[in-house]
Amino acid sequence: MTRDVLETMRERRSIRRYKDQPVPDDIVRQLIEAATLAPNAGNLQPWHFFVVKDKKVRWDLAKAAGRQNFVAEAPVVIVVCADPAHSASRYRSRGAELYCLQDTAAAAQNLFLAATAFGLGTCWVGAFDEKLVSMALNLKENLRPVAIFPVGYPAENPRPSARRPVEQVLTIIDTPAQ
Ligand SMILES: Cc1cc2nc3c(=O)[nH]c(=O)nc-3n(C[C@H](O)[C@H](O)[C@H](O)COP(=O)(O)O)c2cc1C
């Protein structure tokens, strides 16, 4: 990966249309590796990643996401899952309710940026029925699906979506002048 991280962040956008072109396995593997490099509480790494190529399962996931068909139209779908009990083993309720979600969100963003750097398109899909996703993937009880990423080569080039100005979202707390 040669691209500057800031450049990749600026280039990143949600892609919901994909070319009918497979994504090489070794690139998918590198996306997962990038995800596992994320910071995480106590280095417990309370995550698991499912790479779904099977067409029927991709459609099950699209249906679980309220018929967001673009999920199934991507050649590969990656589902990021959290293991709340693993985080709770050290951090109790803060681990189960907060850290494991922060950890997996950090992993998910790494995955997204790595996909962008490889010229792939993806979209963070969070609107889904957790039970239906669990059934589609035959998830063990301990795993909670956190985000779905359809991954493929982009077949659209959307404009960057607008951001609120920094001034609107920033508060600086400085030492008062003497
Ligand atoms: C937690 C979360 C949930 C999201 N869920 C969906 C979703 O279910 N479907 C969808 O099309 N986009 C979803 N998005 C993508 C956002 O709509 C998108 O990131 C936002 O509009 C900004 O656009 P950009 O990613 O191109 O900068 C989600 C993003 C996040 C972070």
Side-chain angles (χ1 to χ4, degrees):
M1 251 178 277
T2 54
R3 252 176 290 193
D4 177 71
V5 71
L6 276 176
E7 192 188 324
T8 306
M9 285 176 187
R10 287 195 192 102
E11 195 188 306
R12 185 213 61 78
R13 59 207 49 158
S14 295
I15 300 294
R16 300 179 178 88
R17 293 190 64 210
Y18 313 98
K19 288 185 185 158
D20 186 15
Q21 183 184 335
V23 180
D25 286 343
D26 71 297
I27 292 187
V28 174
R29 168 97 193 179
Q30 289 185 70
L31 299 184
I32 305 301
E33 278 175 17
T36 66
L37 297 176
N40 61 94
N43 203 22
L44 291 179
Q45 303 165 63
W47 46 50
H48 196 87
F49 306 91
F50 288 81
V51 172
V52 180
K53 300 189 204 174
D54 181 85
K55 196 171 180 181
K56 185 197 170 292
V57 181
R58 284 188 279 133
W59 276 102
D60 288 344
L61 291 171
K63 286 178 200 154
R67 298 198 176 272
Q68 299 193 66
N69 289 352
F70 67 91
V71 169
E73 286 158 10
V76 179
V77 181
I78 299 174
V79 183
V80 179
C81 296
D83 185 344
H86 189 43
S87 297
S89 67
R90 190 176 309 167
Y91 298 114
R92 300 191 212 187
S93 65
R94 198 161 174 81
E97 289 157 21
L98 184 64
Y99 292 166
C100 76
L101 298 178
Q102 291 184 333
D103 297 342
T104 45
Q109 182 64 359
N110 270 16
L111 188 152
F112 204 148
L113 290 173
T116 307
F118 277 114
L120 289 162
T122 187
C123 180
W124 184 315
V125 173
F128 55 80
D129 181 315
E130 290 191 23
K131 277 218 173 76
L132 292 181
V133 170
S134 299
M135 278 166 59
L137 300 177
N138 209 4
L139 288 189
K140 290 186 192 149
E141 278 286 294
N142 61 319
L143 290 182
R144 179 174 182 194
V146 170
I148 299 176
F149 290 91
V151 180
Y153 289 96
E156 64 173 349
N157 184 17
R159 288 163 182 272
S161 49
R163 289 298 188 261
R164 292 160 67 192
V166 169
E167 293 67 35
Q168 224 183 70
V169 297
L170 170 71
T171 302
I172 296 176
I173 300 176
D174 203 351
T175 313
Q178 296 296 317

